């Protein structure tokens, strides 16, 4: 997508088509929840989620990997100069932020489902228990996989968002993520994931596992958000989910 790159016009056209299809077929806004006694005030608004398709059925289920999609859209929107795509990327990242903020641990579940605005999609999943319905009433979604496993996608999205927009709120969100990691995942001998992001204060129920690459991606992205913006500039370096930075040939 880099301007001046070989065949960049063709790739830009295809990328724009892909994001247009993603917007029309895979995204949906959540129905507004009403019972928010302890939730932050901004939870009263509807959030933009990224689902999947299985034929005519819309799979209203989103994993943390969608936060990397938010970053990819923001970076692509920067190169093709599409403000409407920039809005999509920001909205998806705000949802990722909300999933973290509304969790008691400050860390989002691996996978969540939500109830889309009535009439918007032919949805697949509905709350199947009183507990799931209570989660919907409280925060507008329910956890399908409650674990936290150090996925780097949210941190990567925050890095790209800050580098593209320069908005300081993304640094603040990154700092909140770091504090939550230190508070709930730190152990006497390192860091460990959580079995349930909604349970705190009882040893945090660590799962005794640490991905071998988490420091090379999650912590690297967090570090770079607070580092000099000219170091590993996204105009000259391409980042991967694994935390690798590859120099552009342009």
């Amino acid at each position: 997508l880099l301007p001046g790159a070989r065949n960049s016009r063709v790739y830009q056209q295809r990328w724009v088509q892909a994001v247009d299809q993603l917007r029309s077929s895979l995204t949906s806004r959540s129905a507004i929840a009403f019972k928010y006694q302890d939730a932050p005030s901004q939870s009263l608004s509807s959030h933009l989620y990224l689902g999947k398709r299985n034929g005519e059925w819309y799979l209203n289920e989103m994993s943390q990997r969608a936060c990397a999609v938010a970053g990819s859209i923001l970076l692509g929107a920067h190169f093709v100069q599409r403000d409407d795509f920039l809005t999509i990327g920001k909205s998806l990242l705000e949802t990722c932020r909300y999933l973290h903020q509304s969790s008691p641990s400050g860390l989002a579940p691996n996978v969540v489902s939500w109830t889309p605005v009535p009439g918007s999609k032919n949805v697949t999943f509905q709350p199947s228990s009183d507990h799931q319905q209570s989660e919907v009433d409280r925060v507008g979604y329910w956890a399908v996989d409650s674990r936290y496993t150090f996925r780097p996608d949210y941190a990567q999205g925050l890095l790209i968002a800050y580098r593209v927009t320069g908005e300081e709120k993304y640094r603040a969100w990154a700092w909140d993520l770091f504090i939550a990691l230190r508070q709930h995942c730190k152990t006497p001998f390192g860091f460990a994931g959580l079995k349930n992001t909604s349970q705190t204060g009882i040893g945090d129920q660590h799962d005794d596992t640490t991905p071998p690459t988490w420091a090379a991606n999650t912590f690297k992205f967090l570090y770079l958000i607070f580092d000099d913006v000219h170091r590993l500039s996204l105009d000259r370096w391409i980042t991967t989910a694994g935390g690798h930075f590859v120099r552009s040939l342009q």
Side-chain angles (χ1 to χ4, degrees), residues 113-189:
S113 280
W114 68 99
T115 302
V117 174
S120 61
K121 302 286 183 181
N122 189 20
V123 300
T124 304
F125 305 112
Q126 299 288 346
S128 59
S129 67
D130 291 341
H131 175 69
Q132 288 183 349
Q133 186 60 55
S134 68
E135 284 189 301
V136 174
D137 292 339
R138 185 176 65 87
V139 292
Y141 65 85
W142 69 95
V144 176
D145 181 353
S146 298
R147 297 175 301 151
Y148 179 77
T149 56
F150 295 107
R151 288 293 313 175
D153 311 281
Y154 179 49
Q156 183 184 25
L158 292 175
L159 171 62
I160 294 174
Y162 178 69
R163 292 290 183 89
V164 167
T165 69
E167 296 180 19
E168 286 294 328
K169 69 179 181 180
Y170 297 116
R171 274 184 165 177
W173 294 1
W175 183 251
D176 289 341
L177 175 59
F178 173 72
I179 293 299
L181 285 168
R182 189 172 64 179
Q183 182 175 353
H184 297 289
C185 296
K186 186 171 175 56
T187 71
F189 303 103

Side-chain angles (χ1 to χ4, degrees), residues 40-250:
S41 60
Q42 54 264 43
S43 62
L44 292 170
S45 63
S46 178
H47 291 88
L48 186 69
Y49 288 84
L50 180 64
K52 293 175 276 190
R53 280 281 180 185
N54 184 6
E56 296 182 356
W57 287 95
Y58 179 68
L59 307 182
N60 51 318
E61 189 173 274
M62 182 175 110
S63 74
Q64 283 297 302
R65 289 178 172 86
C67 302
V69 176
S72 296
I73 293 175
L74 285 167
L75 188 59
H78 168 66
F79 288 128
V80 301
Q81 298 182 344
R82 287 284 298 263
D83 290 342
D84 54 336
F85 289 168
L86 205 64
T87 299
I88 296 173
K90 285 183 175 182
S91 296
L92 285 174
L93 197 59
E94 286 169 2
T95 299
C96 295
R97 157 69 172 174
Y98 174 66
L99 294 177
H100 283 75
Q101 185 187 39
S102 59
S103 169
S105 63
L107 299 168
N110 267 354
V111 183
V112 301
S113 280
W114 68 99
T115 302
V117 174
S120 61
K121 302 286 183 181
N122 189 20
V123 300
T124 304
F125 305 112
Q126 299 288 346
S128 59
S129 67
D130 291 341
H131 175 69
Q132 288 183 349
Q133 186 60 55
S134 68
E135 284 189 301
V136 174
D137 292 339
R138 185 176 65 87
V139 292
Y141 65 85
W142 69 95
V144 176
D145 181 353
S146 298
R147 297 175 301 151
Y148 179 77
T149 56
F150 295 107
R151 288 293 313 175
D153 311 281
Y154 179 49
Q156 183 184 25
L158 292 175
L159 171 62
I160 294 174
Y162 178 69
R163 292 290 183 89
V164 167
T165 69
E167 296 180 19
E168 286 294 328
K169 69 179 181 180
Y170 297 116
R171 274 184 165 177
W173 294 1
W175 183 251
D176 289 341
L177 175 59
F178 173 72
I179 293 299
L181 285 168
R182 189 172 64 179
Q183 182 175 353
H184 297 289
C185 296
K186 186 171 175 56
T187 71
F189 303 103
F191 287 77
L194 300 180
K195 296 178 182 178
N196 192 329
T197 56
S198 66
Q199 296 181 0
T200 60
I202 48 176
D204 280 326
Q205 300 201 12
H206 295 119
D207 62 7
D208 294 331
T209 61
T210 304
T213 60
W214 80 282
N217 46 43
T218 300
F219 262 27
K220 182 185 291 182
F221 295 140
L222 291 176
Y223 173 81
L224 288 172
I225 290 174
F226 297 97
D227 196 16
D228 185 343
V229 295
H230 299 293
R231 189 186 303 277
L232 296 176
S233 168
L234 297 184
D235 290 326
R236 292 183 296 159
W237 294 83
I238 300 169
T239 176
T240 70
H244 304 292
F245 283 79
V246 182
R247 187 187 293 273
S248 169
L249 297 178
Q250 299 300 315

